[in-house]
Amino acid sequence: MTKGTISLVALVGVLFVILSSVFIVDEREKALVLQFGQIKSVKEDPGLAFKLPFIQEVVKYDDRILALDTVPTEVTPSDDRRLVVDAFARYRVSDVVQFRQAVGVGGLRAAEDRLEGILNPVIREVLGSEGVTSNTILSADRAQLMQRITTQARARALPLGLEVVDVRLKQTNLPEQNLDATFSRMRAEREREAADEIARGEEAALRVRAQADRTVVELVSEAQKTADISRGEADARRNAIFADAYGADEEFFEFRRSLDAYEKAIQGSNSTLVINPDNAFFDYLKSDQGAAAN
């Protein structure tokens, strides 16, 4: 082996050792330097860092805020109306040393399993506490409940080296076995409200109809009254005219009345009267015949 070859091999070995002892910490990460499984140093600042080659290893953890969707949890508020709550949490690794000691080589997967084991009991505890009803959970007061859940979960997650940033309730539903009963109750309530509206509408219609009938009767009565008054005044006026005419010329008045009587008694072309010829009804007819004979 030549001297140049030996130098090249030595150079490659040195470069390999240097590269094995250098690692880069991203600004979104934190790193632990381990030696035989024991923590030797923590690298939290981004940039180049060094370790002993071959005997030390580097484990990196995400330093960003992470999200965890919990399994839907059934809770029983104080009004005994069971609900299924679907929540999610945002968290971050705050202490990598404590995190490594708590979860070991399981990493984030093991940490999320343990964090979910913290969140679900806290959710059931807070939502099932005294004074918290299903209406409270479904109202604007749920913001205070989420804050209580976040505070308690944060305190319980600290031994894991985790900081719970926020816990939110995504959905709140009824259990499947309660849906049919709830829908039936809602349908019955809507049908009752519809029946009440129909009854109120019919009552209003009866009032309007009764008022209209009353108005019709009043208008007809008033019109009949006005017509009777007008008819009475006309009859009085007619009688007054007849009286004046009778007083002015009694004989002419009697003659006129006889003509009217003849007209009413003899109507049509087939009228027959059987009356004594000496009856006063024929007085003017006899005088007319006499006048014609003269």
Side-chain angles (χ1 to χ4, degrees), residues 112-249:
E112 288 185 348
D113 290 340
R114 296 183 63 176
L115 180 58
E116 187 170 2
I118 292 173
L119 289 173
N120 289 338
V122 170
I123 291 172
R124 285 194 293 267
E125 178 181 341
V126 172
L127 300 186
S129 60
E130 185 68 26
V132 177
T133 65
S134 56
N135 291 332
T136 306
I137 298 174
L138 298 174
S139 68
D141 295 336
R142 66 187 295 165
Q144 299 178 0
L145 298 176
M146 290 187 292
Q147 184 60 42
R148 288 173 55 186
I149 294 172
T150 301
T151 301
Q152 295 186 25
R154 181 180 296 134
R156 298 186 187 185
L158 284 178
L160 299 178
L162 299 177
E163 178 189 358
V164 177
V165 178
D166 192 17
V167 179
R168 294 286 174 176
L169 303 180
K170 293 194 299 182
Q171 292 183 347
T172 303
N173 300 317
L174 293 171
E176 289 293 335
Q177 60 269 26
N178 293 355
L179 287 178
D180 292 339
T182 302
F183 289 153
S184 298
R185 184 171 61 253
M186 293 173 60
R187 187 181 300 109
E189 291 176 355
R190 297 299 178 270
E191 290 175 352
R192 179 181 56 78
E193 292 175 358
D196 291 342
E197 290 295 332
I198 292 174
R200 284 193 290 268
E202 291 178 349
E203 180 181 357
L206 289 176
R207 286 198 302 268
V208 172
R209 192 176 296 112
Q211 182 64 34
D213 293 341
R214 178 180 176 182
T215 302
V216 169
V217 171
E218 290 176 350
L219 291 175
V220 172
S221 298
E222 186 65 26
Q224 186 66 38
K225 177 182 176 182
T226 303
D228 291 342
I229 292 174
S230 299
R231 190 179 297 109
E233 292 176 350
D235 291 342
R237 179 62 178 165
R238 183 193 62 183
N239 293 335
I241 293 173
F242 283 162
D244 292 341
Y246 183 78
D249 190 344

Side-chain angles (χ1 to χ4, degrees), residues 25-171:
V25 179
D26 190 89
E27 59 185 4
R28 298 166 295 181
E29 297 174 332
K30 293 180 181 180
L32 289 178
V33 177
L34 305 178
Q35 182 173 331
F36 304 117
Q38 301 296 319
I39 300 174
K40 291 301 181 180
S41 63
V42 179
K43 305 298 181 181
E44 296 185 348
D45 297 329
L48 289 175
F50 299 92
K51 66 180 181 66
L52 295 177
F54 309 119
I55 62 174
Q56 290 184 341
E57 61 176 332
V58 177
V59 179
K60 298 178 181 180
Y61 297 106
D62 202 326
D63 192 35
R64 295 173 295 180
I65 295 177
L66 306 174
L68 171 64
D69 284 324
T70 65
V71 176
T73 304
E74 186 171 309
V75 300
T76 304
S78 58
D79 58 355
D80 293 331
R81 184 183 179 185
R82 291 186 301 169
L83 298 173
V84 176
V85 176
D86 189 6
F88 77 94
R90 292 185 297 172
Y91 72 98
R92 58 184 294 271
V93 179
S94 58
D95 189 332
V96 289
V97 175
Q98 197 168 7
F99 179 81
R100 177 72 182 189
Q101 293 173 346
V103 302
V105 297
L108 286 177
R109 182 180 296 276
E112 288 185 348
D113 290 340
R114 296 183 63 176
L115 180 58
E116 187 170 2
I118 292 173
L119 289 173
N120 289 338
V122 170
I123 291 172
R124 285 194 293 267
E125 178 181 341
V126 172
L127 300 186
S129 60
E130 185 68 26
V132 177
T133 65
S134 56
N135 291 332
T136 306
I137 298 174
L138 298 174
S139 68
D141 295 336
R142 66 187 295 165
Q144 299 178 0
L145 298 176
M146 290 187 292
Q147 184 60 42
R148 288 173 55 186
I149 294 172
T150 301
T151 301
Q152 295 186 25
R154 181 180 296 134
R156 298 186 187 185
L158 284 178
L160 299 178
L162 299 177
E163 178 189 358
V164 177
V165 178
D166 192 17
V167 179
R168 294 286 174 176
L169 303 180
K170 293 194 299 182
Q171 292 183 347

